[in-house]
Amino acid sequence: MPPQRVFALPRQQSLLLPAVINPFVQDTKLTTAAIVKCVLLGIFLVPVRAILLSLVLMVTWPVAVIITFKHPLKGAVEPMTGWRRVMAALGRTYYFCMGFRVVVKGKQVGSSEAPILAVAPHSTFFDGIVCIVAGLPSTVSRVENLATPIFGRFVRCLQPVLVSRKDPDSRKNTIQEIDSRAKSGGKWPQVLIFPEGTCTNRSCLITFKQGAFIPGVPVQPVLMRYPNKLVSDCDYGTVLIYFTSHQEEKKTPALFASRVRETMAQALGVPVTDHTYEDCRLMISAGELTLPMEAGLVEFTKISRKLNLKWDNVKKELEGFATMASSCKGGRITIEEFARFLKLPVNPPLEELFALFDRNGDGTIDFREYVIGVTILCRPANTEDVLRMAFQLFDTDEDKRITREEFTSLLRSALGVSDLNMTKLFKEIDADGSGFITFSEFQAFATTHPEYAKLFTTYLELQRYQAIQEARPGDLELSSQTDSGEKQEDSVSDKKDD
């Protein structure tokens, strides 16, 4: 067995773990004193507040009906006027009855100066209080919300920009409507948007969606803070901070969104991450696959952009990872479990492949490392030319098919694999059970099992390593720059970090 090679695999900063691993879970631990306080206060306050809220709703709902009478649900061409102060006052009364005390810091500018309000962090439906404080600007809302009893009528008062999941053109139409209102010269009220697109635990600011920044108009950030130390150590109240855009940012929505997010994060004193709503979806999918929900959090937008992946691709990789990690505690794969899944013994070539996946060197592979490893290291080994060359190495008698003896003999000598293990693997590759492997079967298996594709080409690298050793005795390292997969990672690392 040739000595194990050492690769210098680059680790670019942009693919390291985020500062906040899971921004979508709130872990609140109540002390005994806090629980007793909640129970005692609840006995007295809940009935009183319920009565007061009911009285406010009894006044607010008829007012909302009068305001929206004869106004269509969609396609309103003129903004409704003359009622916002009344509804805002009722809204403040409603939240006061719920126990909220709002402190406003800073000054809100008008719609002609900043047509869009960007609010963050978004953590609960109570964040709707900022809409009341801001004077009832228009919002972006799902069309289904209009059908909600009582509160659907209140939403109609805002003349929201409606989003429909059933309409394939909804995203385009939403952006056009936001752009139209933002550039109306103050005719329309401000549009209030939660650019994160989903709720978090307020420990960071996740990726901002670009909808609020595509029009290229000035945006005024609105920072939300809560006084309750059970969920936050921040100051209390709603803080309004004005931020104006730069000309170059107006032409690049992604840059504009990033700059606004950085400014807001600095004011809040929290980090930023590249998690998005898609991470929430992956987190839920991980739970459905009996993995720890955190396993699905990979900062999808950053990973997908750098590795050219779509959500469906990552979801498919998650399913493959779940198959491998189904018996692992914590959803992290050790080299023994990795070898068991591949039906191979732990040997130097497998240890080398595992080390390439294990980006932080902790001896395990999580889903994030798996996605990066499969995409960067294994997929490049699936090219037809590389696989055909590997196939020819197995096909020692050049009859365009690999017998079990040929397959076992080569892997035994190159990888130190026992005949028993190779019999199981051979049967998996031999899809039609003919007793030999054709190139189409070899290619199909390598394509659907990318980890094997990398191992199948290991023999090629071993031969290359031996040639270099003979040419340069004593040189114990082969630069990773010659590896096709690592070439791709070098090209990725050369790109500007997100």
Side-chain angles (χ1 to χ4, degrees), residues 53 58 72 142 384 447 476:
L53 290 174
M58 290 175 61
R142 294 184 304 161
E384 183 173 350
T447 301
L476 298 180

Side-chain angles (χ1 to χ4, degrees), residues 2-191:
Q4 184 178 359
R5 298 158 294 161
V6 180
F7 285 121
L9 188 65
R11 298 296 197 244
Q12 60 266 29
Q13 291 291 324
S14 59
L15 290 179
L16 294 181
L17 288 174
V20 178
I21 301 300
N22 189 351
F24 304 111
V25 173
Q26 176 66 48
D27 185 16
T28 301
K29 296 180 181 179
L30 296 176
T31 63
T32 301
I35 294 174
V36 172
K37 182 179 179 181
C38 289
V39 172
L40 293 178
L41 291 178
I43 293 175
F44 298 101
L45 288 179
V46 170
V48 174
R49 287 180 175 170
I51 293 172
L52 292 175
L53 290 174
S54 298
L55 292 175
V56 174
L57 288 177
M58 290 175 61
V59 176
T60 307
W61 188 79
V63 173
V65 171
I66 295 172
I67 291 171
T68 58
F69 184 66
K70 291 186 178 181
H71 280 275
L73 293 176
K74 297 181 181 181
V77 294
E78 295 293 333
M80 294 184 289
T81 59
W83 56 267
R84 294 182 185 275
R85 290 185 179 180
V86 175
M87 289 297 292
L90 290 171
R92 286 175 180 270
T93 304
Y94 183 83
Y95 274 101
F96 177 80
C97 294
M98 294 175 66
F100 283 89
R101 183 170 68 91
V102 181
V103 175
V104 179
K105 297 183 179 180
K107 180 182 179 181
Q108 180 183 358
V109 299
S111 60
S112 59
E113 189 171 353
I116 295 177
L117 300 175
V119 186
H122 185 24
S123 60
T124 170
F125 65 89
F126 289 121
D127 293 343
I129 194 172
V130 73
C131 189
I132 302 297
V133 173
L136 297 184
S138 296
T139 60
V140 178
S141 175
R142 294 184 304 161
V143 67
E144 292 84 359
N145 292 340
L146 298 179
T148 304
I150 300 177
F151 292 96
R153 182 66 65 168
F154 302 156
V155 174
R156 289 181 59 179
C157 290
L158 302 176
Q159 291 187 285
V161 177
L162 297 176
V163 179
S164 174
R165 294 179 178 178
K166 299 179 181 179
D167 183 3
D169 297 324
S170 178
R171 183 178 183 277
K172 179 184 68 175
N173 295 336
T174 298
I175 292 175
Q176 289 177 348
E177 183 62 21
I178 293 175
D179 185 79
S180 174
R181 295 191 185 191
K183 296 177 180 178
S184 66
K187 177 181 177 181
W188 277 92
Q190 290 168 303
V191 180

